[in-house]
């Protein structure tokens, strides 16, 4: 199945021709921006993975007003929630759709059919995402992107009219998904700070809070810097009669077995001056409805847990699919219409206006005026609208430029190795923060959590930037990109081509048999 190049492909073909003679620098810069933005989003998952962090989140261990180093840190916390929550995953999703369209046009220019061999590439992406989920990071997006790409690749082989229909179907399905998430019980944000992270958006989706697979509402997850709100289900301030909950309590709570007897609960309560009911409340809040905390001391223990909770852990894939179906196609459409060409100024202005004049006010309103009920809408909806503004702004900046500048060069290095940097940043953060590595999440004082996490972010980001630059001086692709390219070529040569040959032979045999029969 293939789609002929029509007049609607003209601008996209021009952009492709331009990118074959020199890379469209805006594409690499945007990919790098999305990857480093995703790191800034996800790093809070790692830094809040310790029971010491959890103790402070409970709102019972000391003065909440001093929790993260004073007013300045709280303001930074709130700004980070606003900047990170949903924006960069939205931009990354749009960029994936643009990349898919570039591959389609490249295949057609080579005289190949589409989707042709691309499903093998998408299948490899699903495999890589699965491995990344199991062995590195439980919030992997590669698996969802690969599954979505299998469908979108087929859609891109249809007529432009059919593609527009599918685009609106995808956006409509995503709107329905957001509505369902918003209406589900427990979806309202329990945090008072600006922005609602994935914990509220996901509801009962897994998130690593000291390895716990289902955090209580109010525990920040995936891009929500800790805001100091009490956990839903945990004793509120003053619930213990003024008794300060020590860090040691949470350490002892972690060691409590999942099948703790009433006597064990009573002993822990007596030791720390609490009632058994209060201990049970904490157990219910942090232990997935009861049971001990799952810690990060054992790497293989975490791997085993991800395998055990694989289906529940992939809760977000249906959301990513509906979101990707629409955003992939919008990204492909914008690229085809010449968003990155010098003559695409009017289109860029429309995209920028949509993102910053429509999306940004809605996003702010959702996070301030309607924060209690619109966490899913802001995370999966309005944040993606703002991402279009970022897309248009960067496209406009580089529309007539061939030089990236110092910052753009660093971002473009990361963008050219986007897949490698995405996997590597999660691996590095796991080693830094989890207890099987350096265990920084448990060692970092709560009052320095924000600043310490940001310092680690800067260090990891600089490592990715300069590491990518050094690698690209010797190789044209990143390590994982190179591996994917070779694996795809091997599958095409050893599997796709023989299968295609057999299909042609069967068709020819059937045709010859039909001809003989007709005679």
């Amino acid at each position: 199945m293939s789609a002929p190049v029509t007049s609607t492909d003209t601008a996209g073909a021009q952009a492709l021709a331009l990118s074959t003679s020199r890379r469209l620098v805006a594409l690499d810069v945007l990919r790098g921006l999305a990857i480093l933005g995703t790191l800034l989003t996800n790093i809070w998952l790692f830094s809040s993975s310790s029971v010491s962090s959890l103790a402070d989140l409970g709102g019972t261990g000391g003065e909440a007003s001093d929790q993260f180093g004073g007013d300045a840190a709280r303001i930074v916390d709130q700004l980070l929630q606003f900047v990170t929550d949903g924006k960069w995953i939205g931009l990354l999703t749009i960029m994936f759709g643009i990349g898919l369209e570039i591959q389609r046009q490249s295949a057609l220019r080579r005289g190949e059919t589409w989707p042709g061999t691309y499903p093998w590439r998408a299948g490899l992406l699903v495999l890589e995402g699965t491995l990344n989920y199991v062995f590195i990071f439980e919030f992997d997006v590669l698996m969802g992107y690969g599954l979505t790409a299998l469908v979108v690749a087929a859609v891109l082989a249809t007529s432009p009219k059919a593609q527009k229909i599918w685009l609106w179907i995808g956006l409509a399905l995503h709107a329905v998904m957001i509505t369902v998430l918003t209406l589900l019980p427990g979806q309202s944000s329990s945090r008072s700070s600006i922005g609602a992270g994935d914990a509220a958006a996901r509801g009962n989706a897994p998130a690593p809070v000291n390895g716990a697979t289902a955090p209580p509402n109010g525990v920040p997850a995936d891009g929500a810097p800790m805001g100091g709100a009490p956990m839903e289900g945990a004793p509120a301030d003053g619930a213990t009669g003024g008794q300060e909950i020590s860090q040691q309590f949470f350490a002892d709570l972690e060691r409590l077995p999942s099948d703790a007897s009433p006597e064990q609960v009573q002993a822990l309560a007596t030791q720390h001056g609490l009632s058994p009911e209060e201990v049970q409340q904490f157990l219910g809040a942090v232990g997935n409805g009861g049971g001990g905390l799952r810690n990060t001391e054992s790497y293989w223990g975490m791997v085993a847990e991800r395998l055990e909770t694989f289906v529940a852990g992939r809760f977000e894939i249906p959301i990513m699919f509906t979101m990707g179906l629409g955003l992939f196609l919008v990204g492909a459409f914008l690229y085809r219409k010449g968003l990155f060409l010098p003559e695409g100024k009017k289109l860029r202005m429309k995209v920028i206006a949509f993102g910053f004049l429509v999306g940004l006010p809605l996003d702010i309103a959702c996070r301030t005026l309607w924060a209690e009920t619109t966490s899913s809408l802001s995370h999966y909806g309005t944040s993606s609208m703002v991402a279009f503004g970022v897309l248009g702004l960067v496209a406009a900046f580089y529309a007539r430029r061939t030089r990236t500048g110092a910052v753009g060069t660093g971002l473009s290095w990361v963008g050219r190795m986007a897949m490698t940097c995405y996997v590597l940043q999660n691996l590095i953060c796991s080693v830094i923060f989890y207890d099987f590595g350096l265990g920084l999440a448990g060692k970092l004082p709560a009052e320095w959590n924000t600043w310490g996490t940001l310092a680690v972010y800067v260090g990891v980001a600089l490592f990715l930037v300069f590491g990518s630059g050094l690698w690209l001086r010797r190789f044209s692709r990143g390590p994982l990109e190179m591996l994917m390219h070779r694996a795809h070529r091997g599958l095409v040569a050893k599997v796709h081509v023989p299968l295609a040959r057999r299909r042609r032979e069967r068709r020819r045999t059937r045709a010859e048999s039909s001809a003989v029969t007709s005679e």
Side-chain angles (χ1 to χ4, degrees):
M1 178 171 59
S2 64
V5 179
T6 66
S7 59
T8 61
D9 290 322
T10 303
Q14 292 174 359
L16 182 63
L18 181 62
S19 65
T20 56
S21 60
R22 62 172 178 83
R23 294 183 70 93
L24 281 172
V25 294
L27 293 175
D28 291 329
V29 170
L30 281 162
R31 289 191 192 100
L33 189 61
I35 291 298
L36 294 184
T38 303
L39 170 61
L40 185 59
T41 301
N42 290 336
I43 195 169
W44 305 97
L45 279 172
F46 299 99
S47 68
S48 63
S49 63
S50 166
V51 282
S52 62
S53 302
L54 192 60
D56 297 305
L57 283 173
T60 58
E63 293 294 329
S65 60
D66 297 328
Q67 192 169 29
F68 298 115
D71 292 338
R74 279 197 301 279
I75 292 172
V76 170
D77 245 1
Q78 293 175 345
L79 288 175
L80 285 170
Q81 286 193 16
F82 172 71
V83 170
T84 60
D85 183 41
K87 274 69 171 186
W88 305 115
I89 193 65
L91 181 60
L92 192 64
T93 306
I94 298 166
M95 294 307 300
F96 199 97
I98 291 174
L100 195 56
E101 172 64 13
I102 291 174
Q103 293 183 66
R104 183 190 77 90
Q105 292 188 21
S106 296
L108 295 180
R109 285 171 62 86
R110 293 192 302 265
E112 300 173 1
T113 59
W114 179 266
T117 64
Y118 181 80
W120 295 106
R121 186 181 299 275
L124 286 170
L125 188 63
V126 173
L127 175 61
E128 184 172 354
T130 304
L131 295 175
N132 185 44
Y133 168 81
V134 172
F135 293 105
I136 299 177
F137 186 53
E138 50 264 62
F139 290 101
D140 166 79
V141 299
L142 299 179
M143 188 191 307
Y145 281 176
L147 293 171
T148 307
L150 285 169
V151 175
V152 175
V155 172
L156 290 177
T158 62
S159 67
K161 182 178 180 180
Q163 290 179 42
K164 287 184 179 180
I165 293 173
W166 277 105
L167 187 155
W168 287 109
I169 289 175
L171 293 177
L173 287 174
H174 187 50
V176 170
M177 181 67 76
I178 292 174
T179 302
V180 171
L181 289 173
T182 301
L183 295 177
L184 282 175
Q187 293 305 309
S188 61
S189 175
S190 61
R191 293 187 297 278
S192 59
S193 54
I194 185 171
D198 285 7
R202 283 194 172 107
N204 293 324
V209 178
N210 200 47
T213 57
N217 290 338
V219 175
D222 198 8
M226 295 179 292
M231 296 178 295
E232 183 176 303
D237 290 344
T240 59
Q243 173 72 34
E244 181 176 317
I245 305 300
S246 66
Q247 299 284 341
Q248 185 60 44
F249 167 74
F250 286 90
D252 293 341
L253 186 70
E254 181 184 10
R255 289 191 289 270
L256 199 66
S258 58
D259 57 347
S261 65
E263 291 76 14
Q264 289 174 307
V265 173
Q266 177 65 59
L268 181 61
T270 302
Q271 179 183 351
H272 292 278
L274 303 173
S275 70
E277 292 75 17
E278 288 167 343
V279 174
Q280 289 288 359
Q281 279 185 289
F282 276 108
L283 281 172
V286 299
N288 195 16
L293 291 170
R294 300 174 179 88
N295 61 53
T296 61
E297 292 180 355
S298 169
Y299 168 77
W300 291 109
M302 295 180 71
V303 169
E305 184 167 356
R306 291 181 193 130
L307 288 172
E308 291 172 5
T309 60
F310 186 84
V311 175
R314 299 284 68 198
F315 170 88
E316 204 175 19
I317 282 185
I319 305 172
M320 292 300 299
F321 178 82
T322 58
M323 179 178 174
L325 182 59
L327 294 187
F328 279 19
L329 290 171
V330 172
F333 175 81
L334 291 175
Y335 180 82
R336 195 181 307 158
K337 288 295 184 180
L339 180 71
F340 297 95
L341 294 178
E343 54 268 30
K345 182 177 180 179
K346 288 185 178 180
L347 178 59
R348 287 191 293 272
M349 291 301 101
K350 290 179 181 179
V351 173
I352 292 172
F354 173 76
F356 293 137
L357 298 183
V358 179
L360 185 58
L362 282 175
D363 194 55
I364 293 173
C366 286
R367 297 172 187 280
T368 54
L369 302 178
W370 314 310
E372 292 299 318
T373 56
T374 59
S375 60
S376 295
L377 175 61
S378 59
H379 180 74
Y380 294 110
T382 59
S383 290
S384 296
M385 296 171 68
V386 176
F388 279 106
V390 176
L391 175 74
L393 201 62
V394 175
F397 184 80
Y398 286 106
R400 298 184 182 277
R401 288 179 172 86
T402 57
R403 294 179 177 271
T404 55
V407 175
T409 297
L411 290 173
S412 67
W413 289 339
V414 175
R416 290 175 62 184
M417 292 177 46
M419 185 179 299
T420 296
C421 288
Y422 172 73
V423 174
L424 183 59
Q425 67 188 26
N426 295 320
L427 179 60
I428 293 172
C429 287
S430 297
V431 173
I432 291 175
F433 287 106
Y434 286 165
D435 290 334
F436 67 75
L438 301 178
L440 185 61
K443 298 174 183 176
L444 194 64
E447 62 269 19
W448 288 102
N449 184 278
T450 295
W451 307 119
T453 302
L454 286 176
V456 174
Y457 168 77
V458 172
V460 175
L462 289 175
F463 175 81
L464 294 176
V465 168
F466 291 107
S468 298
L470 289 173
W471 179 274
L472 291 172
R473 296 175 79 175
R474 184 175 179 86
F475 304 100
S476 61
R477 291 184 173 93
L480 284 182
E481 288 80 3
M482 193 181 301
L483 180 63
M484 283 280 289
H485 179 70
R486 292 179 178 177
H488 178 249
R489 288 178 58 183
L491 280 172
V492 170
K494 296 182 179 181
V495 180
H496 180 82
V497 172
L499 287 176
R501 186 184 301 116
R502 290 172 191 169
R503 284 196 297 269
R504 288 195 299 269
E505 290 174 354
R506 285 197 296 267
R507 284 197 296 267
R508 184 171 60 251
T509 300
R510 284 196 296 267
E512 291 174 353
S513 299
S514 299
V516 170
T517 302
S518 62
E519 291 177 359

